[in-house]
Amino acid sequence: MRKAKLRKEKRDLRQGPEIKMEVAKKGGLRDDPPSLQAELGLGAGSQPSLAPQAGGIGGFLEMPHHQEDQSLHNLWETQFQEFLKDTVFEKQLLDDLTPWEDPRAFLASFEKVAVACRWPRKEWVTRLLPALSEEAEKAFVALSAEDREDYWKVKSAILHREAIFREKQRQKFRRFCFQEAEGPQQVLARLQELFCQWLRVERSSKEQILELLLLEQFLNILPREMQNWVKERTPDTCLEAVGLAEEFLRRLQTAERSGEQ
């Protein structure tokens, strides 16, 4: 009887560590080392923390939403900065436009602005209207409703009216008489005034003035019928006038051959 009791006590001693280990596994983390408890966010009498840790699962789940908001913010910021840059750019370009005293140069500058700012062609007339001078506006109003929507027809009408105005200035200079002023000094002063109005001396280069004087003389020596036809098309340079004169001759030759046939 005593021997059986001793064998049972020895068996219990051998199973003790195994039972304690099993109890520890089933009973929780009480026997875990402090470093492991701290790593898992546990302390004495504390519960596991559910707050997202940096680099943990909670932070990973929230990161896409944060990145999405940040990306959207960056997109709006970029678009806004581009809008401001384009607006300043357009304003600077419009401010640099040539004054209306030279319509051809003004329209050339306007077209460069329109291209640089990527304005749709159908908007060009609308954007040009507020900048029209009094004479240019008269040319615009004289067009039909359909032609007013076509920038190139508007431009042609403005330049044609400008050419007519400039021709009138030239005629005033050429037809001025001594009797229209009192004394030689007044005559010369008036001639200088008309000369400057016609050739726009204050903003024209020497080459441009010489070009206009040469153009005038070229047109004056053309045959009357050819002269009238070329003048109606208002050339601005000698090269344009020569091209028009040659076109007139080609048309005349074609008409003569047609008549012979």
Side-chain angles (χ1 to χ4, degrees):
M1 192 68 179
R2 187 172 179 179
K3 292 181 179 180
K5 183 177 180 181
L6 289 174
R7 285 198 297 270
K8 182 177 182 302
E9 290 177 356
K10 291 179 179 180
R11 187 170 56 251
D12 290 341
L13 290 173
R14 288 194 301 267
Q15 292 177 350
E18 296 177 1
I19 294 173
K20 289 183 179 181
M21 181 66 68
E22 187 67 19
V23 170
K25 290 180 180 179
K26 292 181 180 180
L29 300 171
R30 288 173 299 175
D31 292 335
D32 288 340
S35 59
L36 179 60
Q37 294 182 12
E39 187 174 328
L40 295 176
L42 297 175
S46 65
Q47 298 295 326
S49 174
L50 299 180
Q53 303 295 322
I57 295 177
F60 176 78
L61 292 176
E62 290 191 359
M63 189 173 296
H65 300 289
H66 173 71
Q67 289 180 345
E68 182 178 354
D69 293 343
Q70 185 65 29
S71 299
L72 184 60
H73 172 76
N74 292 340
L75 176 62
W76 280 109
E77 181 67 21
T78 301
Q79 292 179 345
F80 180 67
Q81 293 299 329
E82 290 179 354
F83 168 77
L84 290 179
K85 180 176 66 177
D86 291 342
T87 302
V88 173
F89 178 62
E90 290 182 15
K91 184 178 184 303
Q92 181 63 40
L93 288 176
L94 290 172
D95 290 343
D96 292 341
L97 285 179
T98 306
W100 259 112
E101 284 77 4
D102 189 349
R104 184 174 294 275
F106 180 91
L107 292 173
S109 299
F110 173 81
E111 290 164 14
K112 291 180 181 179
V113 172
V115 171
C117 297
R118 299 179 182 179
W119 294 338
R121 188 65 56 84
K122 62 183 180 180
E123 295 181 6
W124 284 22
V125 175
T126 304
R127 294 179 179 272
L128 177 66
L129 287 180
L132 290 180
S133 65
E134 183 177 353
E135 290 298 320
E137 188 173 352
K138 291 179 181 178
F140 174 79
V141 172
L143 292 171
S144 64
E146 182 179 358
D147 289 346
R148 291 176 189 173
E149 299 178 1
D150 189 325
Y151 171 79
W152 302 111
K153 291 183 178 180
V154 172
K155 176 182 178 180
S156 178
I158 292 174
L159 294 180
H160 182 69
R161 189 178 184 89
E162 162 64 14
I164 293 176
F165 175 78
R166 197 160 193 176
E167 175 61 15
K168 290 180 179 179
Q169 297 296 103
R170 186 193 70 82
Q171 291 179 8
K172 286 181 180 180
F173 172 75
R174 293 302 184 188
R175 296 175 182 177
F176 181 75
C177 299
F178 184 84
Q179 291 77 12
E180 296 182 34
E182 298 179 359
Q185 290 187 3
Q186 287 75 15
V187 169
L188 179 59
R190 181 58 178 157
L191 273 177
Q192 289 175 336
E193 180 183 353
L194 294 174
F195 182 81
C196 292
Q197 290 176 356
W198 167 36
L199 298 176
R200 296 167 180 167
V201 177
E202 70 279 359
R203 59 180 178 277
S204 298
S205 65
K206 179 178 67 176
E207 290 75 14
Q208 290 174 322
I209 293 174
L210 293 175
E211 178 80 11
L212 288 175
L213 292 174
L214 186 58
L215 174 62
E216 179 196 34
Q217 186 62 21
F218 176 79
L219 294 175
N220 286 339
I221 64 177
L222 292 178
R224 180 61 58 184
E225 187 176 357
M226 181 188 293
Q227 180 186 116
N228 293 336
W229 191 87
V230 173
K231 282 186 174 181
E232 287 176 358
R233 283 144 185 83
T234 60
D236 290 313
T237 65
C238 294
L239 189 61
E240 290 181 14
V242 169
L244 290 171
E246 291 176 344
E247 182 180 350
F248 176 85
L249 290 176
R250 287 194 296 269
R251 289 170 177 259
L252 185 61
Q253 292 169 0
T254 302
E256 289 176 351
R257 285 197 298 267
S258 300
E260 292 175 359
Q261 294 175 359

